[in-house]
Amino acid sequence: MMYSYRNQNGVDVRVARIFNTFGPRMHPNDGRVVSNFIIQALQNKNMTIYGQGAQTRSFQYVSDLVEGLYALMNGSYDMPVNLGNPDEYSVRDFAKYIKNMTSSKSQIVFLEKSQDDPSQRRPDITTAKTQLNWQPKVTVEQGLKQTIAYFSRVLEEAGEIIPTGPGAAKPEA
């Protein structure tokens, strides 16, 4: 659709495929795995995994995404580009990682897997590297430290937060 618009109107377009992104200022109950795990772990609540946790995900820090978008918008490459971090984690290992980083007493529990949950999400960023001279710079660990610190402050101000599900609660704005 974007390319038809470009051809019809003679304008420049850019298409970014954005993969899982995280960082400070995420909404605590946006339903994403990073915010869910951190909020659950910081409150020593059960960390919920849907399925057995063998499905994989990759996570990029928000500043890397911003730099990738900036490079895309200011470059001449106009085909689709994947922007994400190719470092891949099983959801189970990622939950353990966050639990350890937060020194949480949470238990990891497994719930029924949703039918539309893909088994793998890992971007091929070859085009971003070659056409935009871009790749992520912030490690997942570095980004998680910043994000955990942010959510710690949010919890301190808001009290209990239920990240997802029927009892979901968000902090007052």
Side-chain angles (χ1 to χ4, degrees), residues 2-173:
M2 294 302 299
Y3 293 108
S4 293
Y5 183 79
R6 175 193 65 188
N7 295 340
Q8 179 180 338
N9 296 296
V11 296
D12 287 338
V13 298
R14 302 293 185 269
V15 177
R17 291 190 195 110
I18 299 171
F19 285 74
N20 288 339
T21 306
F22 73 96
R25 301 192 51 84
M26 290 178 72
H27 198 284
N29 57 0
D30 64 6
R32 297 181 196 190
V33 69
V34 175
S35 53
N36 285 354
F37 284 168
I38 293 173
I39 291 294
Q40 290 167 339
L42 287 172
Q43 298 180 104
N44 293 308
K45 293 185 176 183
N46 286 344
M47 297 174 69
T48 52
I49 294 177
Y50 297 92
Q52 294 304 306
Q55 64 272 38
T56 63
R57 299 292 179 267
S58 60
F59 306 96
Q60 74 178 328
Y61 192 65
V62 65
S63 62
D64 285 331
L65 172 62
V66 170
E67 288 181 16
L69 290 171
Y70 184 83
L72 176 62
M73 296 308 296
N74 288 293
S76 59
Y77 189 76
D78 66 354
M79 297 304 292
V81 178
N82 293 335
L83 296 177
N85 187 330
D87 293 345
E88 193 172 24
Y89 297 83
S90 75
V91 172
R92 181 177 45 252
D93 288 345
F94 195 68
K96 291 176 186 175
Y97 193 53
I98 289 176
K99 182 179 174 181
N100 289 338
M101 286 186 75
T102 57
S103 301
S104 179
K105 294 175 177 62
S106 296
Q107 297 297 312
I108 296 174
V109 298
F110 300 89
L111 303 176
E112 186 175 334
K113 182 180 177 184
S114 62
Q115 291 181 340
D116 62 349
D117 190 16
S119 61
Q120 182 181 32
R121 285 195 195 142
R122 180 180 180 268
D124 176 349
I125 62 167
T126 303
T127 300
K129 286 180 176 180
T130 60
Q131 298 296 324
L132 307 178
N133 194 30
W134 175 89
Q135 65 183 13
K137 296 176 185 168
V138 179
T139 66
V140 170
E141 180 180 13
Q142 291 167 331
L144 283 174
K145 285 178 182 177
Q146 297 296 315
T147 308
I148 290 166
Y150 166 75
F151 278 124
S152 292
R153 291 188 303 273
V154 168
L155 275 167
E156 192 174 298
E157 293 172 10
E160 180 183 35
I161 296 174
I162 301 169
T164 59
K170 63 182 179 179
E172 297 294 320

